[in-house]
Amino acid sequence: MRILLIEDDETLGSAVREHTVADGHAADWVKDLSEARDYASVVAYELTLLDIHLPDGNGIDYVREMRKRLDSTPVIILTARDQISDRIEGLNAGADDYLLKPFDLGELSARIYAVARRHGHFPEPIYSLGTLAIQSAERRLYRHGQAVYLTAREWAVLDCLLRRPGTVVSKRKIEDALYSFGSEIESNTVEVYVSRLRKKIGGDVIATVRGLGYRLVVT
Amino acid sequence: MTNSRSLTRRLILGLGGATLLVWISVPTIAALRLSKVVDDLSDDLLKLTAVFMEPALIDEGKVDSDYIRVPGYTPSFEKYWTVRYSVEVNPRPSPGTPALDGFSQTATDRIYTLKMPDGRILRVAEPLDLRRQSIKNGAALVLVPILVLLPFSIAVWWMVIRRSLAPIKVLQQEIGSRDGCNLSPVGVIDLPAELAPIAASVDRLLERLRTALDRERECAANSAHELRTPIAGSLAQMQRLVAELPQGSAKTRARGIEKALSSLGSRVEKLLQLARAESEIGVAVHAIDLVRAVRLEIEDLGKKPQYAGRLILDVDGCPSLMRKVDVDAFAILLRNLIENALIHGLPGTPATVSVRTEGSIAIANAGPVVPLPDLEEITKRFRRGATGAAGSGLGLHIASMVIKRIGGSLELASPARGRDDGFEAIIRIPP
């Protein structure tokens, strides 16, 4: 998934960004709302991780602003505001979840997957595809019952294809999922990762649709 | 008005009593004064009658007139009647009638005796009943209107006093409704000059209190932010380090630091809750649905990996429970009791939260029975039962403080009700 992380604390922001990237997501990290608005205006994010206390405003207002313009991107609030009334305010404003600082990064991953699943960004926790059994939330994949190791970026490509099994996903969409802002994009990067995935999960699982993109072969 | 120290009651009783006393005194004094005036006037008239009658009696035969009739004249004993007076000439001496000049009185008459130049005695008498009747009539003229007007006057006093004191009652109600949860200005307009400064002072005091409480809340929120964010950053960085380090002593040490940071985060949370429990939180102006708050807390705690699948909510027959409590205070109370049940309950066993219509919320867990002496002590600060589980020793203390501020009660039972083991905390919040 392509995630927008809005967090002004350097220490926390860098750790969360690293963790989400390690989980196979493409994460863009911004430190204030103004920058967030700029990023969100040019990239269609699939999830936003949002702090409330920000240098140029309140995160809750940013969620309200999103919902007002009918932007349904899921939002998880990461905050130090620990009162239940703050949580109710955040959820009422349109946030999908509310995680209190300090939090366990493993719990953050679980909540990202739970929210993404509710929004249809991930298939069911265990997805069967031919000889494959895929547990996206736990980042586990079995082929013929044998565990297969995928890198974070390979997971990012697979997540992208799993979101709409059987339908064509454009190369650009996969590129967006692979890279966050600032990363260099090679012209053949998507082909390289698709090729690596085919070797690990089977060549017939991912079909190339010339000029359009790739799709999972659903039998 | 039922309060004996009520200003309205005191005013009505005091002013009413004083006015009543004045109104009773005035006709009484008037009646006494009237009696004196009537007596003097009657005496003057009695004397004048005698003096004017004397020549008529001397000039015999001229006494018969519209006013003095002579029914039968006898020189030795004559009695003349006027409309008002009885006239005797040469009366017989009697023991009760002194035969002297001037006024005298018997039991029934007021008498004026005049010694005529020829030696005869003229005595003019007036029945005392006539005088008393005159005084009574005069007094009645004063008293009757007062008696007629008295109930009406009392009603008017009542209305005027109540109306005049109404602003005090309004101010009393406005100030009385203020507590820790309603600090809005009194804002009563059109107060009398005597009360306006009081209302203004109360408003200034409420404003200062509101500002102080806002600052306290802001301080608590800032403290939470300033304490939680660096801990969150350090913990997240440490977890990244643990993830990246290869197996070995460095990773083991990093895990130790991660655990310590996590524990520090929990302690900060408890201390922030304790600070809030010691401050203003408690009752609220508007009722909230406690079941919704219970659901939110259970949902949030249930998302934590260590508590996942261990919480059971039982709201059988009680879809909502409305109570006037501060939602944050209630959440702190509930979270501490649920965490206590999860931490100290048997590992892997569920904790049950039951909400009942009569206003009770019970949190029960399986586990060893807590001895009675421990049960009586565990709500004290940093006091823990015989448990090896991790905990700050503050959870039940915070819960007991918050429930007092909410105005409810906390009962601790072990074994839990309906079972042989375990622990149960039952909170009751009156409507």
PDB file of all heavy atoms in Angstrom, chain A residues 11-12 14 18 53 80 82-85 87-88 97 101-102 104-105 111, chain B residues 225 228 232 236-237 239-240 244 276 296-297 300 303-304 327-328 331:
ATOM      1  N   THR A  11      12.198  11.257  15.665  1.00  0.00           N
ATOM      2  CA  THR A  11      12.548   9.912  16.140  1.00  0.00           C
ATOM      3  C   THR A  11      11.444   8.911  15.823  1.00  0.00           C
ATOM      4  O   THR A  11      11.696   7.831  15.281  1.00  0.00           O
ATOM      5  CB  THR A  11      12.784   9.935  17.662  1.00  0.00           C
ATOM      6  OG1 THR A  11      13.574  11.065  17.980  1.00  0.00           O
ATOM      7  CG2 THR A  11      13.461   8.681  18.145  1.00  0.00           C
ATOM      8  N   LEU A  12      10.225   9.292  16.163  1.00  0.00           N
ATOM      9  CA  LEU A  12       9.101   8.385  15.948  1.00  0.00           C
ATOM     10  C   LEU A  12       8.800   8.236  14.463  1.00  0.00           C
ATOM     11  O   LEU A  12       8.591   7.111  13.968  1.00  0.00           O
ATOM     12  CB  LEU A  12       7.864   8.905  16.702  1.00  0.00           C
ATOM     13  CG  LEU A  12       6.611   8.054  16.594  1.00  0.00           C
ATOM     14  CD1 LEU A  12       6.840   6.669  17.197  1.00  0.00           C
ATOM     15  CD2 LEU A  12       5.429   8.714  17.276  1.00  0.00           C
ATOM     16  N   SER A  14      10.684   8.559  11.804  1.00  0.00           N
ATOM     17  CA  SER A  14      11.631   7.743  11.015  1.00  0.00           C
ATOM     18  C   SER A  14      11.452   6.254  11.321  1.00  0.00           C
ATOM     19  O   SER A  14      11.518   5.414  10.412  1.00  0.00           O
ATOM     20  CB  SER A  14      13.069   8.190  11.299  1.00  0.00           C
ATOM     21  OG  SER A  14      13.394   7.974  12.647  1.00  0.00           O
ATOM     22  N   GLU A  18      10.309   3.485   8.567  1.00  0.00           N
ATOM     23  CA  GLU A  18      11.129   2.292   8.311  1.00  0.00           C
ATOM     24  C   GLU A  18      10.307   1.019   8.483  1.00  0.00           C
ATOM     25  O   GLU A  18      10.412   0.083   7.698  1.00  0.00           O
ATOM     26  CB  GLU A  18      12.289   2.237   9.316  1.00  0.00           C
ATOM     27  CG  GLU A  18      13.527   2.971   8.855  1.00  0.00           C
ATOM     28  CD  GLU A  18      14.615   2.863   9.905  1.00  0.00           C
ATOM     29  OE1 GLU A  18      14.760   1.793  10.526  1.00  0.00           O
ATOM     30  OE2 GLU A  18      15.281   3.889  10.136  1.00  0.00           O
ATOM     31  N   HIS A  53      -1.176  16.488  17.192  1.00  0.00           N
ATOM     32  CA  HIS A  53      -0.443  17.715  17.543  1.00  0.00           C
ATOM     33  C   HIS A  53       0.593  17.989  16.459  1.00  0.00           C
ATOM     34  O   HIS A  53       1.677  17.414  16.475  1.00  0.00           O
ATOM     35  CB  HIS A  53       0.303  17.507  18.870  1.00  0.00           C
ATOM     36  CG  HIS A  53      -0.502  17.911  20.057  1.00  0.00           C
ATOM     37  ND1 HIS A  53      -0.701  19.200  20.413  1.00  0.00           N
ATOM     38  CD2 HIS A  53      -1.146  17.169  20.983  1.00  0.00           C
ATOM     39  CE1 HIS A  53      -1.439  19.251  21.508  1.00  0.00           C
ATOM     40  NE2 HIS A  53      -1.724  18.018  21.867  1.00  0.00           N
ATOM     41  N   ALA A  80      -0.741  11.190  21.224  1.00  0.00           N
ATOM     42  CA  ALA A  80      -0.467  11.096  22.658  1.00  0.00           C
ATOM     43  C   ALA A  80      -1.683  11.507  23.468  1.00  0.00           C
ATOM     44  O   ALA A  80      -1.664  11.450  24.685  1.00  0.00           O
ATOM     45  CB  ALA A  80       0.709  12.006  23.006  1.00  0.00           C
ATOM     46  N   ASP A  82      -4.666  10.907  25.246  1.00  0.00           N
ATOM     47  CA  ASP A  82      -5.071   9.609  25.764  1.00  0.00           C
ATOM     48  C   ASP A  82      -6.486   9.542  26.328  1.00  0.00           C
ATOM     49  O   ASP A  82      -6.888   8.514  26.859  1.00  0.00           O
ATOM     50  CB  ASP A  82      -4.079   9.177  26.868  1.00  0.00           C
ATOM     51  CG  ASP A  82      -3.913  10.253  27.928  1.00  0.00           C
ATOM     52  OD1 ASP A  82      -4.525  11.323  27.777  1.00  0.00           O
ATOM     53  OD2 ASP A  82      -3.167  10.026  28.890  1.00  0.00           O
ATOM     54  N   GLN A  83      -7.260  10.613  26.211  1.00  0.00           N
ATOM     55  CA  GLN A  83      -8.603  10.583  26.773  1.00  0.00           C
ATOM     56  C   GLN A  83      -9.564   9.915  25.794  1.00  0.00           C
ATOM     57  O   GLN A  83      -9.433  10.081  24.583  1.00  0.00           O
ATOM     58  CB  GLN A  83      -9.090  12.012  27.052  1.00  0.00           C
ATOM     59  CG  GLN A  83      -8.200  12.780  27.991  1.00  0.00           C
ATOM     60  CD  GLN A  83      -8.495  12.437  29.439  1.00  0.00           C
ATOM     61  OE1 GLN A  83      -8.187  11.329  29.897  1.00  0.00           O
ATOM     62  NE2 GLN A  83      -9.070  13.350  30.152  1.00  0.00           N
ATOM     63  N   ILE A  84     -10.558   9.223  26.346  1.00  0.00           N
ATOM     64  CA  ILE A  84     -11.531   8.542  25.468  1.00  0.00           C
ATOM     65  C   ILE A  84     -12.314   9.588  24.666  1.00  0.00           C
ATOM     66  O   ILE A  84     -12.724   9.327  23.531  1.00  0.00           O
ATOM     67  CB  ILE A  84     -12.483   7.628  26.272  1.00  0.00           C
ATOM     68  CG1 ILE A  84     -13.242   6.688  25.322  1.00  0.00           C
ATOM     69  CG2 ILE A  84     -13.434   8.396  27.118  1.00  0.00           C
ATOM     70  CD1 ILE A  84     -14.095   5.648  26.002  1.00  0.00           C
ATOM     71  N   SER A  85     -12.506  10.780  25.242  1.00  0.00           N
ATOM     72  CA  SER A  85     -13.225  11.826  24.507  1.00  0.00           C
ATOM     73  C   SER A  85     -12.434  12.254  23.267  1.00  0.00           C
ATOM     74  O   SER A  85     -13.022  12.568  22.238  1.00  0.00           O
ATOM     75  CB  SER A  85     -13.493  13.035  25.407  1.00  0.00           C
ATOM     76  OG  SER A  85     -12.311  13.454  26.026  1.00  0.00           O
ATOM     77  N   ARG A  87     -10.511  10.198  21.626  1.00  0.00           N
ATOM     78  CA  ARG A  87     -10.683   9.077  20.688  1.00  0.00           C
ATOM     79  C   ARG A  87     -12.044   9.177  19.994  1.00  0.00           C
ATOM     80  O   ARG A  87     -12.143   9.021  18.775  1.00  0.00           O
ATOM     81  CB  ARG A  87     -10.601   7.749  21.456  1.00  0.00           C
ATOM     82  CG  ARG A  87     -10.299   6.590  20.550  1.00  0.00           C
ATOM     83  CD  ARG A  87     -10.301   5.249  21.249  1.00  0.00           C
ATOM     84  NE  ARG A  87      -9.831   5.312  22.624  1.00  0.00           N
ATOM     85  CZ  ARG A  87     -10.154   4.421  23.556  1.00  0.00           C
ATOM     86  NH1 ARG A  87     -10.964   3.435  23.255  1.00  0.00           N
ATOM     87  NH2 ARG A  87      -9.687   4.511  24.766  1.00  0.00           N
ATOM     88  N   ILE A  88     -13.082   9.492  20.798  1.00  0.00           N
ATOM     89  CA  ILE A  88     -14.427   9.622  20.222  1.00  0.00           C
ATOM     90  C   ILE A  88     -14.436  10.757  19.198  1.00  0.00           C
ATOM     91  O   ILE A  88     -14.999  10.621  18.109  1.00  0.00           O
ATOM     92  CB  ILE A  88     -15.472   9.871  21.338  1.00  0.00           C
ATOM     93  CG1 ILE A  88     -15.621   8.608  22.193  1.00  0.00           C
ATOM     94  CG2 ILE A  88     -16.824  10.274  20.758  1.00  0.00           C
ATOM     95  CD1 ILE A  88     -16.424   8.801  23.465  1.00  0.00           C
ATOM     96  N   ASP A  97      -9.260   4.446  12.852  1.00  0.00           N
ATOM     97  CA  ASP A  97      -8.722   3.832  14.073  1.00  0.00           C
ATOM     98  C   ASP A  97      -7.905   4.872  14.812  1.00  0.00           C
ATOM     99  O   ASP A  97      -7.576   5.938  14.256  1.00  0.00           O
ATOM    100  CB  ASP A  97      -7.864   2.608  13.731  1.00  0.00           C
ATOM    101  CG  ASP A  97      -7.801   1.612  14.893  1.00  0.00           C
ATOM    102  OD1 ASP A  97      -8.268   1.969  15.994  1.00  0.00           O
ATOM    103  OD2 ASP A  97      -7.295   0.499  14.698  1.00  0.00           O
ATOM    104  N   LYS A 101       0.035   6.647  21.632  1.00  0.00           N
ATOM    105  CA  LYS A 101       1.485   6.581  21.827  1.00  0.00           C
ATOM    106  C   LYS A 101       1.786   6.342  23.309  1.00  0.00           C
ATOM    107  O   LYS A 101       1.092   6.913  24.146  1.00  0.00           O
ATOM    108  CB  LYS A 101       2.149   7.898  21.409  1.00  0.00           C
ATOM    109  CG  LYS A 101       2.016   8.238  19.941  1.00  0.00           C
ATOM    110  CD  LYS A 101       2.580   9.634  19.719  1.00  0.00           C
ATOM    111  CE  LYS A 101       2.370  10.088  18.284  1.00  0.00           C
ATOM    112  NZ  LYS A 101       2.782  11.481  18.079  1.00  0.00           N
ATOM    113  N   PRO A 102       2.790   5.616  23.678  1.00  0.00           N
ATOM    114  CA  PRO A 102       3.661   4.827  22.807  1.00  0.00           C
ATOM    115  C   PRO A 102       2.961   3.528  22.405  1.00  0.00           C
ATOM    116  O   PRO A 102       2.183   2.986  23.173  1.00  0.00           O
ATOM    117  CB  PRO A 102       4.869   4.547  23.704  1.00  0.00           C
ATOM    118  CG  PRO A 102       4.339   4.598  25.098  1.00  0.00           C
ATOM    119  CD  PRO A 102       3.203   5.564  25.088  1.00  0.00           C
ATOM    120  N   ASP A 104       3.234  -0.370  20.151  1.00  0.00           N
ATOM    121  CA  ASP A 104       4.107  -1.422  19.653  1.00  0.00           C
ATOM    122  C   ASP A 104       4.014  -1.402  18.122  1.00  0.00           C
ATOM    123  O   ASP A 104       2.913  -1.324  17.567  1.00  0.00           O
ATOM    124  CB  ASP A 104       3.608  -2.757  20.209  1.00  0.00           C
ATOM    125  CG  ASP A 104       4.532  -3.889  19.864  1.00  0.00           C
ATOM    126  OD1 ASP A 104       4.404  -4.436  18.731  1.00  0.00           O
ATOM    127  OD2 ASP A 104       5.382  -4.224  20.704  1.00  0.00           O
ATOM    128  N   LEU A 105       5.149  -1.475  17.446  1.00  0.00           N
ATOM    129  CA  LEU A 105       5.105  -1.420  15.979  1.00  0.00           C
ATOM    130  C   LEU A 105       4.342  -2.600  15.397  1.00  0.00           C
ATOM    131  O   LEU A 105       3.712  -2.493  14.348  1.00  0.00           O
ATOM    132  CB  LEU A 105       6.530  -1.357  15.420  1.00  0.00           C
ATOM    133  CG  LEU A 105       7.261  -0.027  15.664  1.00  0.00           C
ATOM    134  CD1 LEU A 105       8.709  -0.116  15.166  1.00  0.00           C
ATOM    135  CD2 LEU A 105       6.549   1.132  14.980  1.00  0.00           C
ATOM    136  N   ARG A 111      -3.012  -3.110  12.988  1.00  0.00           N
ATOM    137  CA  ARG A 111      -4.105  -2.140  12.796  1.00  0.00           C
ATOM    138  C   ARG A 111      -4.147  -1.642  11.352  1.00  0.00           C
ATOM    139  O   ARG A 111      -5.221  -1.423  10.795  1.00  0.00           O
ATOM    140  CB  ARG A 111      -3.944  -0.983  13.760  1.00  0.00           C
ATOM    141  CG  ARG A 111      -4.115  -1.455  15.203  1.00  0.00           C
ATOM    142  CD  ARG A 111      -4.705  -0.389  16.036  1.00  0.00           C
ATOM    143  NE  ARG A 111      -4.776  -0.792  17.438  1.00  0.00           N
ATOM    144  CZ  ARG A 111      -5.458  -0.146  18.337  1.00  0.00           C
ATOM    145  NH1 ARG A 111      -6.139   0.917  18.016  1.00  0.00           N
ATOM    146  NH2 ARG A 111      -5.484  -0.553  19.580  1.00  0.00           N
TER     147      ARG A 111
ATOM    148  N   HIS B 225       1.484  14.656  25.992  1.00  0.00           N
ATOM    149  CA  HIS B 225       2.174  14.744  24.705  1.00  0.00           C
ATOM    150  C   HIS B 225       3.682  14.750  24.899  1.00  0.00           C
ATOM    151  O   HIS B 225       4.416  14.010  24.235  1.00  0.00           O
ATOM    152  CB  HIS B 225       1.725  16.028  23.975  1.00  0.00           C
ATOM    153  CG  HIS B 225       2.314  16.163  22.619  1.00  0.00           C
ATOM    154  ND1 HIS B 225       3.408  16.953  22.358  1.00  0.00           N
ATOM    155  CD2 HIS B 225       1.975  15.592  21.442  1.00  0.00           C
ATOM    156  CE1 HIS B 225       3.713  16.855  21.070  1.00  0.00           C
ATOM    157  NE2 HIS B 225       2.857  16.043  20.497  1.00  0.00           N
ATOM    158  N   ARG B 228       4.662  11.169  26.366  1.00  0.00           N
ATOM    159  CA  ARG B 228       4.380   9.988  25.552  1.00  0.00           C
ATOM    160  C   ARG B 228       5.158   9.983  24.232  1.00  0.00           C
ATOM    161  O   ARG B 228       5.611   8.920  23.799  1.00  0.00           O
ATOM    162  CB  ARG B 228       2.879   9.908  25.238  1.00  0.00           C
ATOM    163  CG  ARG B 228       2.031   9.455  26.392  1.00  0.00           C
ATOM    164  CD  ARG B 228       0.569   9.537  26.019  1.00  0.00           C
ATOM    165  NE  ARG B 228      -0.313   9.050  27.055  1.00  0.00           N
ATOM    166  CZ  ARG B 228      -0.626   7.782  27.246  1.00  0.00           C
ATOM    167  NH1 ARG B 228      -0.123   6.859  26.461  1.00  0.00           N
ATOM    168  NH2 ARG B 228      -1.442   7.427  28.210  1.00  0.00           N
ATOM    169  N   ALA B 232       7.426   7.088  22.868  1.00  0.00           N
ATOM    170  CA  ALA B 232       6.969   6.387  21.659  1.00  0.00           C
ATOM    171  C   ALA B 232       8.096   6.327  20.625  1.00  0.00           C
ATOM    172  O   ALA B 232       8.334   5.278  20.009  1.00  0.00           O
ATOM    173  CB  ALA B 232       5.747   7.097  21.073  1.00  0.00           C
ATOM    174  N   ALA B 236       9.824   2.900  19.470  1.00  0.00           N
ATOM    175  CA  ALA B 236       9.757   2.508  18.058  1.00  0.00           C
ATOM    176  C   ALA B 236      11.163   2.305  17.482  1.00  0.00           C
ATOM    177  O   ALA B 236      11.413   1.312  16.763  1.00  0.00           O
ATOM    178  CB  ALA B 236       8.998   3.574  17.260  1.00  0.00           C
ATOM    179  N   GLN B 237      12.085   3.209  17.812  1.00  0.00           N
ATOM    180  CA  GLN B 237      13.472   3.052  17.335  1.00  0.00           C
ATOM    181  C   GLN B 237      14.093   1.775  17.881  1.00  0.00           C
ATOM    182  O   GLN B 237      14.796   1.045  17.170  1.00  0.00           O
ATOM    183  CB  GLN B 237      14.319   4.267  17.760  1.00  0.00           C
ATOM    184  CG  GLN B 237      13.983   5.547  17.027  1.00  0.00           C
ATOM    185  CD  GLN B 237      14.425   5.535  15.566  1.00  0.00           C
ATOM    186  OE1 GLN B 237      15.108   4.616  15.105  1.00  0.00           O
ATOM    187  NE2 GLN B 237      13.999   6.545  14.814  1.00  0.00           N
ATOM    188  N   GLN B 239      12.496  -0.908  18.790  1.00  0.00           N
ATOM    189  CA  GLN B 239      11.877  -2.068  18.129  1.00  0.00           C
ATOM    190  C   GLN B 239      12.458  -2.259  16.725  1.00  0.00           C
ATOM    191  O   GLN B 239      12.622  -3.396  16.268  1.00  0.00           O
ATOM    192  CB  GLN B 239      10.352  -1.889  18.084  1.00  0.00           C
ATOM    193  CG  GLN B 239       9.729  -2.095  19.449  1.00  0.00           C
ATOM    194  CD  GLN B 239       8.232  -1.900  19.466  1.00  0.00           C
ATOM    195  OE1 GLN B 239       7.667  -1.217  18.616  1.00  0.00           O
ATOM    196  NE2 GLN B 239       7.578  -2.477  20.458  1.00  0.00           N
ATOM    197  N   ARG B 240      12.768  -1.154  16.064  1.00  0.00           N
ATOM    198  CA  ARG B 240      13.415  -1.279  14.752  1.00  0.00           C
ATOM    199  C   ARG B 240      14.807  -1.904  14.910  1.00  0.00           C
ATOM    200  O   ARG B 240      15.234  -2.746  14.123  1.00  0.00           O
ATOM    201  CB  ARG B 240      13.556   0.097  14.082  1.00  0.00           C
ATOM    202  CG  ARG B 240      12.288   0.695  13.554  1.00  0.00           C
ATOM    203  CD  ARG B 240      11.558  -0.188  12.568  1.00  0.00           C
ATOM    204  NE  ARG B 240      12.414  -0.688  11.494  1.00  0.00           N
ATOM    205  CZ  ARG B 240      12.301  -1.877  10.910  1.00  0.00           C
ATOM    206  NH1 ARG B 240      11.368  -2.727  11.318  1.00  0.00           N
ATOM    207  NH2 ARG B 240      13.099  -2.240   9.930  1.00  0.00           N
ATOM    208  N   GLU B 244      16.369  -5.375  13.393  1.00  0.00           N
ATOM    209  CA  GLU B 244      17.512  -5.371  12.480  1.00  0.00           C
ATOM    210  C   GLU B 244      18.723  -6.116  13.033  1.00  0.00           C
ATOM    211  O   GLU B 244      19.573  -6.599  12.262  1.00  0.00           O
ATOM    212  CB  GLU B 244      17.909  -3.922  12.154  1.00  0.00           C
ATOM    213  CG  GLU B 244      16.917  -3.247  11.231  1.00  0.00           C
ATOM    214  CD  GLU B 244      17.093  -1.744  11.178  1.00  0.00           C
ATOM    215  OE1 GLU B 244      18.110  -1.244  11.722  1.00  0.00           O
ATOM    216  OE2 GLU B 244      16.210  -1.067  10.627  1.00  0.00           O
ATOM    217  N   ARG B 276      -5.019  13.010  36.802  1.00  0.00           N
ATOM    218  CA  ARG B 276      -6.390  13.387  36.406  1.00  0.00           C
ATOM    219  C   ARG B 276      -7.392  12.985  37.492  1.00  0.00           C
ATOM    220  O   ARG B 276      -8.331  13.707  37.781  1.00  0.00           O
ATOM    221  CB  ARG B 276      -6.762  12.736  35.086  1.00  0.00           C
ATOM    222  CG  ARG B 276      -6.024  13.377  33.920  1.00  0.00           C
ATOM    223  CD  ARG B 276      -6.598  12.928  32.584  1.00  0.00           C
ATOM    224  NE  ARG B 276      -6.019  13.689  31.511  1.00  0.00           N
ATOM    225  CZ  ARG B 276      -5.113  13.211  30.655  1.00  0.00           C
ATOM    226  NH1 ARG B 276      -4.697  11.964  30.758  1.00  0.00           N
ATOM    227  NH2 ARG B 276      -4.624  13.967  29.708  1.00  0.00           N
ATOM    228  N   LEU B 296     -16.334   0.810  23.541  1.00  0.00           N
ATOM    229  CA  LEU B 296     -15.136   1.454  22.981  1.00  0.00           C
ATOM    230  C   LEU B 296     -13.864   0.982  23.685  1.00  0.00           C
ATOM    231  O   LEU B 296     -12.849   0.683  23.040  1.00  0.00           O
ATOM    232  CB  LEU B 296     -15.257   2.974  23.125  1.00  0.00           C
ATOM    233  CG  LEU B 296     -15.882   3.718  21.967  1.00  0.00           C
ATOM    234  CD1 LEU B 296     -16.134   5.169  22.356  1.00  0.00           C
ATOM    235  CD2 LEU B 296     -14.994   3.682  20.724  1.00  0.00           C
ATOM    236  N   GLU B 297     -13.928   0.918  25.010  1.00  0.00           N
ATOM    237  CA  GLU B 297     -12.754   0.497  25.774  1.00  0.00           C
ATOM    238  C   GLU B 297     -12.399  -0.967  25.476  1.00  0.00           C
ATOM    239  O   GLU B 297     -11.234  -1.306  25.304  1.00  0.00           O
ATOM    240  CB  GLU B 297     -13.002   0.662  27.278  1.00  0.00           C
ATOM    241  CG  GLU B 297     -12.732   2.050  27.796  1.00  0.00           C
ATOM    242  CD  GLU B 297     -11.326   2.560  27.492  1.00  0.00           C
ATOM    243  OE1 GLU B 297     -10.368   1.767  27.532  1.00  0.00           O
ATOM    244  OE2 GLU B 297     -11.195   3.754  27.190  1.00  0.00           O
ATOM    245  N   ASP B 300     -10.910  -1.227  22.072  1.00  0.00           N
ATOM    246  CA  ASP B 300      -9.539  -0.716  22.019  1.00  0.00           C
ATOM    247  C   ASP B 300      -8.565  -1.684  22.695  1.00  0.00           C
ATOM    248  O   ASP B 300      -7.500  -1.984  22.147  1.00  0.00           O
ATOM    249  CB  ASP B 300      -9.484   0.658  22.695  1.00  0.00           C
ATOM    250  CG  ASP B 300      -8.167   1.356  22.421  1.00  0.00           C
ATOM    251  OD1 ASP B 300      -7.869   1.576  21.236  1.00  0.00           O
ATOM    252  OD2 ASP B 300      -7.432   1.666  23.374  1.00  0.00           O
ATOM    253  N   LYS B 303      -7.763  -4.859  20.766  1.00  0.00           N
ATOM    254  CA  LYS B 303      -6.855  -4.764  19.619  1.00  0.00           C
ATOM    255  C   LYS B 303      -5.408  -4.959  20.036  1.00  0.00           C
ATOM    256  O   LYS B 303      -4.525  -5.107  19.189  1.00  0.00           O
ATOM    257  CB  LYS B 303      -7.012  -3.381  18.960  1.00  0.00           C
ATOM    258  CG  LYS B 303      -8.286  -3.248  18.148  1.00  0.00           C
ATOM    259  CD  LYS B 303      -8.418  -1.832  17.625  1.00  0.00           C
ATOM    260  CE  LYS B 303      -9.727  -1.656  16.873  1.00  0.00           C
ATOM    261  NZ  LYS B 303      -9.973  -0.245  16.564  1.00  0.00           N
ATOM    262  N   LYS B 304      -5.146  -4.925  21.342  1.00  0.00           N
ATOM    263  CA  LYS B 304      -3.771  -5.149  21.794  1.00  0.00           C
ATOM    264  C   LYS B 304      -3.477  -6.637  21.706  1.00  0.00           C
ATOM    265  O   LYS B 304      -4.267  -7.458  22.189  1.00  0.00           O
ATOM    266  CB  LYS B 304      -3.595  -4.650  23.234  1.00  0.00           C
ATOM    267  CG  LYS B 304      -3.824  -3.157  23.353  1.00  0.00           C
ATOM    268  CD  LYS B 304      -3.242  -2.592  24.599  1.00  0.00           C
ATOM    269  CE  LYS B 304      -3.302  -1.082  24.563  1.00  0.00           C
ATOM    270  NZ  LYS B 304      -2.509  -0.477  23.487  1.00  0.00           N
ATOM    271  N   VAL B 327     -17.129  11.266  30.756  1.00  0.00           N
ATOM    272  CA  VAL B 327     -16.772  10.065  29.978  1.00  0.00           C
ATOM    273  C   VAL B 327     -15.289   9.702  30.151  1.00  0.00           C
ATOM    274  O   VAL B 327     -14.937   8.516  30.191  1.00  0.00           O
ATOM    275  CB  VAL B 327     -17.159  10.262  28.488  1.00  0.00           C
ATOM    276  CG1 VAL B 327     -16.307  11.323  27.826  1.00  0.00           C
ATOM    277  CG2 VAL B 327     -17.060   8.956  27.716  1.00  0.00           C
ATOM    278  N   ASP B 328     -14.427  10.698  30.284  1.00  0.00           N
ATOM    279  CA  ASP B 328     -12.998  10.407  30.446  1.00  0.00           C
ATOM    280  C   ASP B 328     -12.724   9.771  31.807  1.00  0.00           C
ATOM    281  O   ASP B 328     -11.914   8.851  31.924  1.00  0.00           O
ATOM    282  CB  ASP B 328     -12.177  11.688  30.275  1.00  0.00           C
ATOM    283  CG  ASP B 328     -12.254  12.221  28.854  1.00  0.00           C
ATOM    284  OD1 ASP B 328     -12.239  11.390  27.926  1.00  0.00           O
ATOM    285  OD2 ASP B 328     -12.342  13.429  28.663  1.00  0.00           O
ATOM    286  N   ALA B 331     -13.915   6.245  31.635  1.00  0.00           N
ATOM    287  CA  ALA B 331     -13.007   5.411  30.830  1.00  0.00           C
ATOM    288  C   ALA B 331     -11.753   5.045  31.629  1.00  0.00           C
ATOM    289  O   ALA B 331     -11.274   3.904  31.558  1.00  0.00           O
ATOM    290  CB  ALA B 331     -12.624   6.148  29.551  1.00  0.00           C
TER     291      ALA B 331
END
